[in-house]
Amino acid sequence: MSAKIEVRRLSGGEGGALRFGVEVSDGGGAKSYEVTMGLQTHKGAPFNAADPVRCIEACFRFLLDREPKESIMSRFDVTVIRRYFPEFDAKLEGYM
C-alpha cells in the first residue's frame, strides 16, 4: 500500500518562506509535518518555480522511497534533504 500525502499551504510568499502542513498516512497510521521552503529555493533548481504544493509532494515521495514516514523529521526546510540525500537535486524531477 502506498502512502497518501496531503499538503496544505499554511503561509508564506512575498518575501517570506513558504510554509506547509503535510500529513502522510498509510496502513500504519498517520504522521504530520511542518515544512518550509524559501522563495529563492522555490525559484531555483530542482524546483524551478513549479507549483509549491506539487514540489512538497514530490519531496515527500522522494523521502518515502528512502525511509519510513516515522524517520522523517517533523519540522524541516526542504534544503536539508540534500544534506542527507546528495542525489536529491538530480532525482527530484522524476518525482514531479
Coordinates of all heavy atoms in Angstrom, one line a residue:
M1 N 0.8 -1.2 0.0 CA 0.0 0.0 0.0 C 0.9 1.2 0.0 O 1.8 1.4 0.8 CB -0.9 0.0 1.3 CG -1.7 1.2 1.4 SD -2.6 1.1 3.0 CE -3.5 2.6 2.9
S2 N 0.6 2.1 -0.9 CA 1.4 3.4 -0.9 C 0.8 4.4 0.0 O -0.3 4.4 0.3 CB 1.5 3.9 -2.4 OG 0.2 4.3 -2.8
A3 N 1.7 5.3 0.4 CA 1.3 6.3 1.4 C 0.5 7.4 0.7 O 0.7 7.7 -0.5 CB 2.5 6.9 2.1
K4 N -0.5 7.9 1.4 CA -1.2 9.1 1.0 C -0.6 10.3 1.5 O -0.3 10.4 2.7 CB -2.7 9.0 1.5 CG -3.6 10.1 1.0 CD -5.0 9.9 1.5 CE -5.8 11.1 1.1 NZ -7.2 11.0 1.7
I5 N -0.3 11.3 0.7 CA 0.4 12.5 1.1 C -0.6 13.7 0.8 O -1.0 13.9 -0.3 CB 1.7 12.7 0.2 CG1 2.6 11.6 0.4 CG2 2.4 14.0 0.6 CD1 3.7 11.5 -0.6
E6 N -0.9 14.4 1.9 CA -1.7 15.6 1.8 C -0.9 16.8 2.2 O -0.4 16.8 3.3 CB -2.9 15.5 2.7 CG -3.9 14.4 2.3 CD -5.1 14.3 3.2 OE1 -5.6 15.4 3.6 OE2 -5.6 13.2 3.5
V7 N -0.9 17.8 1.3 CA -0.1 19.0 1.5 C -1.1 20.2 1.5 O -1.9 20.3 0.6 CB 1.0 19.2 0.5 CG1 1.8 20.5 0.7 CG2 1.9 18.0 0.4
R8 N -0.9 21.1 2.5 CA -1.7 22.3 2.5 C -0.7 23.5 2.8 O 0.1 23.3 3.7 CB -2.9 22.3 3.5 CG -2.5 22.1 4.9 CD -3.8 21.9 5.8 NE -3.4 21.9 7.2 CZ -2.6 21.1 7.8 NH1 -2.1 20.1 7.2 NH2 -2.4 21.2 9.1
R9 N -0.9 24.5 2.1 CA -0.1 25.7 2.2 C -0.6 26.5 3.4 O -1.8 26.8 3.5 CB -0.1 26.5 1.0 CG 0.9 27.7 1.0 CD 1.0 28.3 -0.3 NE 1.7 29.6 -0.3 CZ 2.1 30.2 -1.3 NH1 1.8 29.8 -2.5 NH2 2.7 31.3 -1.2
L10 N 0.3 26.7 4.4 CA -0.1 27.4 5.6 C 0.1 28.9 5.5 O -0.7 29.7 6.0 CB 0.7 26.9 6.8 CG 0.5 25.4 7.1 CD1 1.4 25.0 8.2 CD2 -1.0 25.1 7.4
S11 N 1.2 29.3 4.9 CA 1.6 30.7 4.8 C 2.8 30.9 3.9 O 3.4 30.0 3.5 CB 1.8 31.4 6.2 OG 3.0 30.8 6.8
G12 N 3.1 32.2 3.7 CA 4.3 32.5 3.0 C 4.1 33.2 1.7 O 3.0 33.3 1.2
G13 N 5.2 33.6 1.2 CA 5.3 34.3 -0.1 C 5.6 35.8 0.2 O 5.8 36.2 1.3
E14 N 5.8 36.5 -0.9 CA 6.1 37.9 -0.8 C 7.2 38.2 0.2 O 7.0 39.0 1.2 CB 4.8 38.7 -0.5 CG 3.7 38.6 -1.6 CD 2.5 39.5 -1.3 OE1 2.7 40.5 -0.6 OE2 1.5 39.1 -1.8
G15 N 8.3 37.6 0.0 CA 9.5 37.9 0.9 C 9.7 37.0 2.0 O 10.8 36.9 2.5
G16 N 8.8 36.1 2.4 CA 9.0 35.2 3.4 C 9.0 33.8 2.9 O 8.6 33.5 1.7
A17 N 9.4 32.8 3.7 CA 9.4 31.4 3.3 C 8.0 30.9 3.2 O 7.1 31.4 3.9 CB 10.2 30.6 4.3
L18 N 7.8 30.0 2.3 CA 6.6 29.3 2.2 C 6.5 28.2 3.3 O 7.5 27.6 3.6 CB 6.5 28.6 0.8 CG 6.6 29.5 -0.4 CD1 6.8 28.7 -1.7 CD2 5.4 30.4 -0.5
R19 N 5.4 28.1 3.9 CA 5.2 27.1 5.0 C 4.0 26.2 4.7 O 3.0 26.6 4.3 CB 5.0 27.8 6.3 CG 5.1 27.0 7.5 CD 5.2 27.8 8.8 NE 4.0 28.6 9.0 CZ 3.0 28.3 9.8 NH1 3.0 27.1 10.4 NH2 2.0 29.1 9.9
F20 N 4.3 24.9 4.9 CA 3.3 23.9 4.6 C 3.0 22.9 5.7 O 3.9 22.6 6.5 CB 3.8 23.0 3.4 CG 4.1 23.8 2.2 CD1 5.4 24.4 2.0 CD2 3.2 24.1 1.2 CE1 5.7 25.1 0.9 CE2 3.5 24.8 0.1 CZ 4.7 25.4 -0.1
G21 N 1.8 22.4 5.8 CA 1.5 21.3 6.7 C 1.3 20.1 5.8 O 0.7 20.2 4.7
V22 N 1.9 19.0 6.2 CA 1.9 17.8 5.4 C 1.4 16.7 6.4 O 1.9 16.6 7.5 CB 3.3 17.5 4.9 CG1 3.2 16.2 4.0 CG2 3.8 18.6 4.0
E23 N 0.5 15.8 5.8 CA 0.2 14.6 6.6 C 0.4 13.4 5.6 O 0.0 13.4 4.5 CB -1.3 14.6 7.0 CG -1.6 13.4 7.8 CD -2.9 13.5 8.6 OE1 -3.0 14.4 9.5 OE2 -3.8 12.7 8.2
V24 N 1.1 12.4 6.2 CA 1.4 11.2 5.4 C 0.6 10.1 6.2 O 0.8 9.9 7.4 CB 2.9 10.9 5.4 CG1 3.1 9.6 4.7 CG2 3.6 12.0 4.6
S25 N -0.2 9.4 5.5 CA -0.9 8.3 6.1 C -0.7 7.0 5.3 O -0.6 7.0 4.0 CB -2.4 8.6 6.3 OG -3.0 9.0 5.1
D26 N -0.7 5.9 6.0 CA -0.6 4.6 5.3 C -1.2 3.6 6.3 O -1.9 3.9 7.2 CB 0.9 4.2 5.0 CG 1.8 4.2 6.2 OD1 1.3 4.1 7.3 OD2 3.0 4.3 6.0
G27 N -1.1 2.3 6.0 CA -1.7 1.3 6.8 C -1.2 1.3 8.3 O -1.9 0.8 9.2
G28 N -0.1 1.9 8.5 CA 0.5 2.0 9.9 C 0.1 3.3 10.6 O 0.6 3.5 11.7
G29 N -0.8 4.1 10.1 CA -1.2 5.3 10.8 C -0.8 6.5 10.0 O -0.6 6.5 8.8
A30 N -0.8 7.7 10.7 CA -0.5 8.9 10.1 C 0.5 9.7 10.9 O 0.6 9.5 12.1 CB -1.8 9.8 9.9
K31 N 1.2 10.6 10.2 CA 2.2 11.5 10.8 C 2.1 12.8 10.1 O 2.0 12.9 8.9 CB 3.6 10.9 10.7 CG 4.6 11.8 11.5 CD 6.0 11.1 11.5 CE 6.9 12.1 12.3 NZ 8.3 11.7 12.2
S32 N 2.2 13.9 11.0 CA 2.1 15.2 10.5 C 3.5 15.9 10.5 O 4.4 15.6 11.3 CB 1.2 16.1 11.3 OG -0.1 15.5 11.2
Y33 N 3.7 16.8 9.6 CA 5.0 17.5 9.4 C 4.7 19.0 9.2 O 3.6 19.4 8.6 CB 5.8 17.0 8.2 CG 5.9 15.5 8.2 CD1 4.9 14.7 7.6 CD2 7.0 14.9 8.7 CE1 5.0 13.3 7.6 CE2 7.1 13.5 8.7 CZ 6.1 12.8 8.2 OH 6.3 11.4 8.2
E34 N 5.7 19.8 9.5 CA 5.7 21.2 9.1 C 7.0 21.5 8.2 O 8.1 21.2 8.7 CB 5.7 22.2 10.3 CG 5.5 23.6 9.8 CD 5.4 24.6 11.0 OE1 4.6 24.3 11.9 OE2 6.2 25.5 11.1
V35 N 6.8 22.0 7.0 CA 7.9 22.1 6.1 C 8.0 23.5 5.6 O 6.9 24.1 5.2 CB 7.7 21.1 4.9 CG1 8.9 21.2 4.0 CG2 7.5 19.7 5.4
T36 N 9.2 24.0 5.5 CA 9.3 25.4 4.9 C 10.2 25.3 3.6 O 10.9 24.3 3.4 CB 10.0 26.3 5.9 OG1 11.3 25.8 6.3 CG2 9.2 26.6 7.1
M37 N 10.0 26.3 2.7 CA 10.7 26.4 1.5 C 10.9 27.9 1.2 O 9.9 28.6 1.0 CB 10.0 25.7 0.3 CG 10.7 25.8 -1.0 SD 10.1 24.7 -2.3 CE 8.4 25.1 -2.3
G38 N 12.1 28.3 1.2 CA 12.4 29.7 0.9 C 12.0 30.1 -0.5 O 12.0 29.2 -1.4
L39 N 11.7 31.3 -0.8 CA 11.3 31.7 -2.1 C 12.4 31.5 -3.1 O 12.2 31.1 -4.3 CB 10.8 33.2 -2.1 CG 9.5 33.4 -1.3 CD1 9.2 34.9 -1.3 CD2 8.4 32.6 -1.9
Q40 N 13.7 31.8 -2.7 CA 14.8 31.6 -3.6 C 15.0 30.1 -3.9 O 15.3 29.8 -5.0 CB 16.1 32.2 -3.0 CG 16.1 33.7 -3.0 CD 16.0 34.4 -4.3 OE1 16.4 33.8 -5.4 NE2 15.4 35.6 -4.4
T41 N 14.8 29.3 -2.9 CA 14.9 27.8 -3.1 C 13.8 27.4 -4.1 O 14.1 26.6 -5.0 CB 14.7 27.1 -1.8 OG1 15.7 27.5 -0.9 CG2 14.7 25.6 -2.0
H42 N 12.6 27.9 -4.0 CA 11.5 27.6 -4.9 C 11.8 28.0 -6.3 O 11.4 27.2 -7.2 CB 10.2 28.2 -4.4 CG 9.0 28.0 -5.3 ND1 8.4 29.0 -5.9 CD2 8.4 26.8 -5.6 CE1 7.4 28.4 -6.6 NE2 7.4 27.2 -6.5
K43 N 12.4 29.1 -6.5 CA 12.7 29.6 -7.9 C 13.9 28.8 -8.5 O 13.9 28.7 -9.8 CB 13.1 31.1 -7.8 CG 11.9 31.9 -7.5 CD 12.3 33.4 -7.4 CE 11.2 34.3 -6.9 NZ 11.6 35.7 -6.7
G44 N 14.8 28.2 -7.7 CA 15.9 27.6 -8.3 C 15.8 26.1 -8.5 O 14.7 25.5 -8.2
A45 N 16.8 25.5 -9.0 CA 16.8 24.0 -9.2 C 16.9 23.3 -7.8 O 17.4 23.9 -6.9 CB 18.1 23.6 -10.0
P46 N 16.2 22.2 -7.7 CA 15.5 21.4 -8.7 C 14.0 21.8 -8.8 O 13.3 21.2 -9.6 CB 15.6 20.0 -8.1 CG 15.6 20.2 -6.7 CD 16.3 21.5 -6.4
F47 N 13.5 22.8 -8.1 CA 12.1 23.1 -8.1 C 11.7 24.0 -9.3 O 10.6 23.8 -9.8 CB 11.7 23.8 -6.8 CG 12.0 23.0 -5.6 CD1 13.1 23.4 -4.8 CD2 11.3 21.9 -5.3 CE1 13.4 22.6 -3.7 CE2 11.6 21.1 -4.2 CZ 12.7 21.5 -3.4
N48 N 12.5 24.9 -9.7 CA 12.3 25.7 -10.9 C 10.9 26.4 -10.9 O 10.2 26.4 -12.0 CB 12.5 24.9 -12.2 CG 13.9 24.4 -12.2 OD1 14.9 25.1 -11.9 ND2 14.1 23.1 -12.6
A49 N 10.4 26.9 -9.8 CA 9.2 27.6 -9.6 C 7.9 26.8 -10.0 O 6.9 27.4 -10.4 CB 9.2 28.9 -10.4
A50 N 8.0 25.5 -9.9 CA 6.8 24.6 -10.1 C 5.8 24.9 -9.0 O 6.2 25.6 -8.0 CB 7.2 23.2 -10.2
D51 N 4.6 24.5 -9.2 CA 3.6 24.7 -8.1 C 4.2 24.3 -6.8 O 4.6 23.1 -6.6 CB 2.4 23.9 -8.5 CG 1.3 23.9 -7.4 OD1 0.8 25.0 -7.1 OD2 1.1 22.9 -6.7
P52 N 4.2 25.1 -5.8 CA 4.8 24.8 -4.5 C 4.2 23.6 -3.8 O 5.0 22.8 -3.2 CB 4.5 26.1 -3.6 CG 4.2 27.1 -4.6 CD 3.6 26.5 -5.8
V53 N 2.9 23.4 -3.9 CA 2.4 22.2 -3.2 C 2.9 20.9 -3.9 O 3.2 19.9 -3.3 CB 0.8 22.3 -3.3 CG1 0.2 20.9 -2.9 CG2 0.3 23.4 -2.3
R54 N 2.9 21.0 -5.2 CA 3.5 19.9 -6.0 C 4.9 19.6 -5.7 O 5.4 18.4 -5.6 CB 3.3 20.2 -7.5 CG 3.5 19.0 -8.4 CD 3.1 19.3 -9.8 NE 4.1 18.6 -10.7 CZ 4.7 19.1 -11.7 NH1 4.5 20.3 -12.0 NH2 5.5 18.4 -12.4
C55 N 5.7 20.6 -5.4 CA 7.1 20.5 -5.0 C 7.2 19.7 -3.7 O 8.0 18.8 -3.6 CB 7.8 21.8 -4.9 SG 8.0 22.8 -6.4
I56 N 6.4 20.1 -2.7 CA 6.4 19.4 -1.4 C 6.0 18.0 -1.5 O 6.6 17.1 -0.9 CB 5.6 20.2 -0.4 CG1 6.2 21.7 -0.2 CG2 5.6 19.5 0.9 CD1 7.6 21.7 0.2
E57 N 4.9 17.7 -2.3 CA 4.5 16.3 -2.5 C 5.7 15.5 -3.1 O 5.9 14.4 -2.7 CB 3.3 16.3 -3.5 CG 2.0 16.8 -2.9 CD 0.9 16.9 -3.9 OE1 1.1 16.4 -5.1 OE2 -0.1 17.4 -3.6
A58 N 6.3 16.1 -4.1 CA 7.5 15.4 -4.7 C 8.6 15.1 -3.7 O 9.2 14.0 -3.7 CB 8.0 16.2 -5.9
C59 N 8.9 16.1 -2.9 CA 9.9 15.9 -1.8 C 9.5 14.7 -0.9 O 10.4 13.9 -0.6 CB 10.0 17.1 -1.0 SG 10.8 18.5 -1.8
F60 N 8.2 14.6 -0.6 CA 7.8 13.5 0.3 C 7.8 12.2 -0.4 O 8.2 11.1 0.2 CB 6.5 13.8 1.0 CG 6.6 14.6 2.3 CD1 6.8 15.9 2.2 CD2 6.7 13.9 3.5 CE1 7.0 16.6 3.4 CE2 6.9 14.6 4.7 CZ 7.0 15.9 4.6
R61 N 7.5 12.1 -1.7 CA 7.6 10.9 -2.4 C 9.0 10.4 -2.5 O 9.3 9.2 -2.3 CB 7.0 11.0 -3.8 CG 5.4 11.0 -3.8 CD 4.9 10.8 -5.2 NE 5.2 11.8 -6.2 CZ 4.6 13.0 -6.3 NH1 3.6 13.3 -5.5 NH2 5.0 13.8 -7.2
F62 N 9.9 11.4 -2.7 CA 11.4 11.1 -2.8 C 11.8 10.5 -1.4 O 12.4 9.5 -1.3 CB 12.1 12.4 -3.1 CG 13.6 12.2 -2.9 CD1 14.4 11.8 -4.0 CD2 14.3 12.5 -1.7 CE1 15.8 11.7 -3.9 CE2 15.6 12.4 -1.6 CZ 16.4 12.0 -2.7
L63 N 11.4 11.2 -0.3 CA 11.8 10.7 1.0 C 11.2 9.4 1.4 O 11.9 8.5 1.9 CB 11.4 11.8 2.1 CG 12.2 13.1 2.1 CD1 11.5 14.1 3.0 CD2 13.6 12.9 2.5
L64 N 10.0 9.2 1.1 CA 9.3 7.9 1.4 C 9.9 6.7 0.6 O 9.7 5.6 1.1 CB 7.8 8.0 1.2 CG 7.1 8.9 2.3 CD1 5.7 9.3 1.8 CD2 7.1 8.3 3.6
D65 N 10.5 7.0 -0.5 CA 11.1 5.9 -1.3 C 12.4 5.5 -0.6 O 13.0 4.5 -0.9 CB 11.4 6.3 -2.7 CG 10.3 6.1 -3.6 OD1 9.3 5.5 -3.2 OD2 10.4 6.6 -4.8
R66 N 12.9 6.3 0.4 CA 14.2 6.1 1.0 C 14.1 5.8 2.5 O 15.1 5.2 3.1 CB 15.1 7.3 0.8 CG 15.6 7.3 -0.7 CD 16.0 8.7 -1.1 NE 16.4 8.6 -2.5 CZ 15.6 8.5 -3.6 NH1 14.3 8.6 -3.4 NH2 16.1 8.5 -4.8
E67 N 13.0 6.1 3.1 CA 12.9 5.9 4.6 C 11.4 5.9 5.0 O 10.6 6.5 4.3 CB 13.7 7.0 5.4 CG 13.2 8.4 5.1 CD 14.1 9.4 5.8 OE1 14.9 9.0 6.7 OE2 13.9 10.6 5.6
P68 N 11.1 5.2 6.1 CA 9.7 5.2 6.5 C 9.3 6.6 7.0 O 10.1 7.4 7.4 CB 9.7 4.2 7.7 CG 11.1 4.1 8.1 CD 12.0 4.4 6.9
K69 N 8.0 6.8 7.0 CA 7.5 8.1 7.5 C 7.9 8.5 8.9 O 8.1 9.7 9.2 CB 6.0 8.2 7.3 CG 5.2 7.4 8.3 CD 3.7 7.5 8.0 CE 2.8 6.8 9.0 NZ 3.1 5.4 9.2
E70 N 8.1 7.5 9.7 CA 8.5 7.7 11.1 C 9.9 8.3 11.2 O 10.3 8.9 12.2 CB 8.3 6.4 11.9 CG 6.9 6.0 12.1 CD 6.4 5.2 10.8 OE1 7.2 4.8 9.9 OE2 5.2 5.0 10.8
S71 N 10.7 8.1 10.2 CA 12.1 8.5 10.2 C 12.3 9.9 9.7 O 13.3 10.5 9.9 CB 13.0 7.6 9.4 OG 13.0 6.3 10.0
I72 N 11.2 10.5 9.1 CA 11.3 11.8 8.5 C 11.1 12.8 9.7 O 10.2 12.7 10.5 CB 10.3 12.0 7.4 CG1 10.5 11.0 6.3 CG2 10.3 13.5 6.9 CD1 9.4 11.0 5.2
M73 N 12.0 13.9 9.7 CA 11.8 14.9 10.8 C 10.5 15.5 10.7 O 9.9 15.8 9.7 CB 12.9 16.0 10.6 CG 14.3 15.5 10.8 SD 15.6 16.7 10.5 CE 15.5 17.0 8.7
S74 N 9.9 15.9 11.9 CA 8.6 16.5 12.0 C 8.6 17.9 11.4 O 7.6 18.4 10.9 CB 8.1 16.5 13.4 OG 7.9 15.2 13.8
R75 N 9.7 18.6 11.6 CA 9.8 20.0 11.1 C 11.2 20.2 10.4 O 12.2 19.8 10.9 CB 9.8 21.0 12.2 CG 8.5 21.0 13.0 CD 8.5 22.0 14.1 NE 8.1 23.2 13.6 CZ 8.0 24.4 14.2 NH1 8.3 24.4 15.5 NH2 7.6 25.5 13.7
F76 N 11.1 20.7 9.1 CA 12.4 20.9 8.4 C 12.2 21.8 7.2 O 11.0 22.1 6.8 CB 13.0 19.6 7.9 CG 12.1 18.8 6.9 CD1 12.3 18.9 5.6 CD2 11.1 17.9 7.4 CE1 11.6 18.2 4.7 CE2 10.3 17.2 6.5 CZ 10.6 17.4 5.1
D77 N 13.2 22.4 6.7 CA 13.3 23.1 5.5 C 13.7 22.2 4.4 O 14.6 21.3 4.6 CB 14.2 24.3 5.6 CG 14.1 25.2 4.4 OD1 13.3 26.1 4.4 OD2 14.9 25.0 3.4
V78 N 13.2 22.3 3.2 CA 13.5 21.4 2.1 C 15.0 21.3 1.8 O 15.4 20.3 1.3 CB 12.6 21.6 0.9 CG1 11.2 21.4 1.1 CG2 12.9 23.0 0.3
T79 N 15.7 22.4 2.1 CA 17.1 22.4 1.8 C 17.9 21.3 2.6 O 19.0 21.0 2.1 CB 17.8 23.8 2.0 OG1 17.6 24.2 3.3 CG2 17.1 24.8 1.0
V80 N 17.4 20.9 3.7 CA 18.1 19.9 4.5 C 18.1 18.5 3.8 O 18.9 17.6 4.1 CB 17.7 19.8 5.9 CG1 17.8 21.1 6.6 CG2 16.3 19.2 6.0
I81 N 17.2 18.3 2.9 CA 17.0 17.0 2.3 C 18.3 16.6 1.5 O 18.8 15.5 1.7 CB 15.8 16.9 1.3 CG1 14.5 17.1 2.0 CG2 15.8 15.6 0.5 CD1 13.3 17.3 1.2
R82 N 18.9 17.5 0.8 CA 20.1 17.2 0.1 C 21.3 16.9 1.0 O 22.3 16.3 0.6 CB 20.5 18.3 -1.0 CG 20.7 19.7 -0.4 CD 21.1 20.7 -1.5 NE 20.1 20.9 -2.5 CZ 19.3 21.9 -2.6 NH1 19.3 22.8 -1.6 NH2 18.4 22.0 -3.5
R83 N 21.3 17.4 2.2 CA 22.3 17.1 3.2 C 22.3 15.6 3.5 O 23.4 15.0 3.7 CB 22.1 17.8 4.5 CG 23.1 19.0 4.7 CD 23.0 19.5 6.1 NE 22.2 20.7 6.0 CZ 21.6 21.3 7.0 NH1 21.6 20.7 8.2 NH2 20.9 22.4 6.9
Y84 N 21.2 15.0 3.6 CA 21.1 13.5 3.9 C 21.1 12.7 2.6 O 21.4 11.5 2.7 CB 19.8 13.3 4.7 CG 19.8 14.0 6.0 CD1 19.2 15.2 6.2 CD2 20.4 13.4 7.1 CE1 19.2 15.8 7.4 CE2 20.4 14.0 8.4 CZ 19.8 15.2 8.5 OH 19.8 15.8 9.7
F85 N 20.6 13.3 1.5 CA 20.5 12.5 0.3 C 21.1 13.4 -0.9 O 20.4 14.1 -1.5 CB 19.0 12.2 0.0 CG 18.3 11.4 1.0 CD1 17.5 12.0 2.0 CD2 18.5 10.0 1.1 CE1 16.9 11.3 3.0 CE2 17.9 9.3 2.1 CZ 17.1 9.9 3.0
P86 N 22.4 13.2 -1.1 CA 23.1 14.0 -2.1 C 22.5 13.9 -3.5 O 22.7 14.8 -4.3 CB 24.5 13.5 -2.1 CG 24.7 12.8 -0.8 CD 23.3 12.3 -0.4
E87 N 21.8 12.8 -3.8 CA 21.2 12.6 -5.1 C 19.9 13.4 -5.3 O 19.2 13.4 -6.4 CB 21.0 11.1 -5.4 CG 19.8 10.5 -4.6 CD 20.1 10.0 -3.2 OE1 21.1 10.5 -2.6 OE2 19.3 9.2 -2.7
F88 N 19.4 14.1 -4.3 CA 18.1 14.8 -4.3 C 17.9 15.7 -5.5 O 16.9 15.5 -6.2 CB 18.0 15.6 -3.0 CG 16.7 16.4 -2.9 CD1 15.5 15.8 -2.8 CD2 16.8 17.8 -3.0 CE1 14.3 16.6 -2.7 CE2 15.6 18.6 -2.9 CZ 14.4 17.9 -2.8
D89 N 18.8 16.6 -5.8 CA 18.6 17.5 -6.9 C 18.5 16.8 -8.2 O 17.7 17.1 -9.0 CB 19.8 18.5 -7.0 CG 19.7 19.6 -5.8 OD1 18.7 19.6 -5.1 OD2 20.6 20.4 -5.8
A90 N 19.3 15.7 -8.4 CA 19.3 15.0 -9.7 C 18.0 14.2 -9.8 O 17.5 14.0 -10.9 CB 20.5 14.1 -9.8
K91 N 17.5 13.7 -8.7 CA 16.4 12.7 -8.8 C 15.0 13.3 -8.7 O 14.0 12.8 -9.1 CB 16.5 11.7 -7.7 CG 17.8 10.8 -7.7 CD 17.6 9.8 -8.8 CE 18.9 8.9 -8.7 NZ 18.8 7.8 -9.8
L92 N 14.9 14.6 -8.1 CA 13.6 15.1 -7.8 C 12.7 15.3 -9.0 O 11.5 15.1 -9.0 CB 13.7 16.5 -7.1 CG 12.4 17.0 -6.5 CD1 11.9 16.0 -5.4 CD2 12.5 18.4 -6.1
E93 N 13.3 15.6 -10.2 CA 12.5 15.9 -11.4 C 11.6 14.6 -11.7 O 10.5 14.8 -12.1 CB 13.4 16.2 -12.6 CG 12.6 16.5 -13.8 CD 13.4 16.9 -15.0 OE1 14.6 17.2 -14.8 OE2 12.9 16.9 -16.1
G94 N 12.1 13.4 -11.4 CA 11.4 12.2 -11.7 C 10.2 12.1 -10.7 O 9.3 11.3 -11.0
Y95 N 10.1 12.8 -9.7 CA 9.0 12.8 -8.7 C 8.0 13.9 -9.0 O 7.0 13.9 -8.4 CB 9.5 12.9 -7.3 CG 10.3 11.6 -6.9 CD1 11.6 11.5 -7.1 CD2 9.6 10.6 -6.2 CE1 12.3 10.4 -6.7 CE2 10.3 9.4 -5.9 CZ 11.6 9.3 -6.1 OH 12.3 8.2 -5.7
M96 N 8.4 14.8 -9.8 CA 7.5 16.0 -10.1 C 6.5 15.5 -11.1 O 5.5 16.0 -11.3 CB 8.3 17.2 -10.6 CG 9.3 17.7 -9.6 SD 8.7 18.6 -8.3 CE 8.5 20.2 -9.0

